[in-house]
Amino acid sequence: MGAVIGGVIEALAPVAKAIGSFANAFLRGLGIFKQDEAVEDMGDRALQAADEGITMDQFDDFESYMNALRNFEPDPEKSKNYSPGTKLVAGLGVGTKGVEEKFNAEPGSLDSMWLLPMANPEYFTPERMQGLVSAGRLGGDTFAYLEKRLTGGESRTFEKALEMDKSGNVIDADKRGELYQALEDAQDNWSNMMDKVDASKQ
């Protein structure tokens, strides 16, 4: 998923800025990052720490790894070796692991949670995404859904999972209509974004 997100971030600066702002609010709101921590800076620290042999798999839990990153002093000169997009993707990776651990999600199951807010940030706000993640509603293959590669039944399963509120009740008809319009817009926006990413490579 990192390659897909990285491709969009490197090609489309407005999307990179928007997902960075979203991630900061989202991860701070869930308590994964502290209020003064930013996703790009954490990504920079993670990249430089990895160069020193400090990686997530060396720690018993995510919080121990985060403490190691917080105590790590990044080198401003080495920081210049990484593009802002690379730091952002690394920071999103750190945040993803934190969210998975917080909600006991399967490793890798939330890798694509950044795609909906990238494709439709007006609807999939930090607060709305916090609710979906905490309720365990973000299942299925978001990437395949946005690319319209799921079967009709698979798409319906994906969509129905998002129809529930935090209490597990189905949202009312008006809110369902808003959700389905938002998902349709997200698919259209994703297609347009992919066209722009492809064009930037030519």
Side-chain angles (χ1 to χ4, degrees):
M1 210 66 262
V4 173
I5 295 172
V8 175
I9 285 171
E10 294 291 353
L12 306 175
V15 176
K17 184 176 180 183
I19 196 63
S21 296
F22 167 88
N24 285 333
F26 175 74
L27 295 169
R28 290 168 185 164
L30 289 176
I32 308 299
F33 287 177
K34 294 179 179 177
Q35 291 304 311
D36 61 345
E37 292 173 346
V39 64
E40 195 174 302
D41 176 60
M42 277 299 170
D44 189 16
R45 288 171 182 264
L47 291 164
Q48 291 197 40
D51 287 341
E52 303 285 328
I54 302 169
T55 54
M56 203 176 305
D57 56 8
Q58 294 182 325
F59 297 87
D60 292 334
D61 54 53
F62 178 77
E63 198 55 40
S64 299
Y65 174 66
M66 282 299 289
N67 287 334
L69 289 187
R70 288 173 179 133
N71 293 325
F72 183 85
E73 283 298 328
D75 183 332
E77 288 304 310
K78 289 183 179 178
S79 181
K80 296 175 184 174
N81 296 331
Y82 304 109
S83 71
T86 300
K87 295 176 198 173
L88 181 52
V89 170
L92 294 176
V94 171
T96 301
K97 291 299 179 188
V99 176
E100 286 176 352
E101 185 158 311
K102 183 178 179 74
F103 295 107
N104 297 314
E106 286 291 317
S109 64
L110 296 177
D111 285 353
S112 61
M113 69 179 172
W114 310 105
L115 300 183
L116 287 174
M118 287 174 76
N120 189 345
E122 290 80 16
Y123 184 84
F124 293 104
T125 61
E127 296 75 20
R128 185 167 266 131
M129 290 300 290
Q130 286 164 5
L132 290 172
V133 170
S134 61
R137 293 287 154 201
L138 276 184
D141 191 337
T142 305
F143 185 39
Y145 178 82
L146 288 174
E147 299 227 308
K148 300 183 180 178
R149 289 188 282 110
L150 297 181
T151 65
E154 289 168 340
S155 292
R156 187 76 188 109
T157 299
F158 178 89
E159 292 162 351
K160 280 189 75 67
L162 303 182
E163 289 182 3
M164 305 285 185
D165 63 17
K166 288 181 182 178
S167 305
N169 301 312
V170 177
I171 56 179
D172 64 41
D174 286 346
K175 288 182 178 176
R176 281 204 304 278
E178 188 183 359
L179 167 67
Y180 280 89
Q181 185 59 57
L183 288 169
E184 187 177 320
D185 291 345
Q187 287 180 323
D188 291 342
N189 292 343
W190 185 260
S191 178
N192 291 335
M193 282 163 52
M194 289 301 101
D195 288 344
K196 290 176 183 176
V197 170
D198 289 342
S200 73
K201 295 175 183 177
Q202 295 173 2

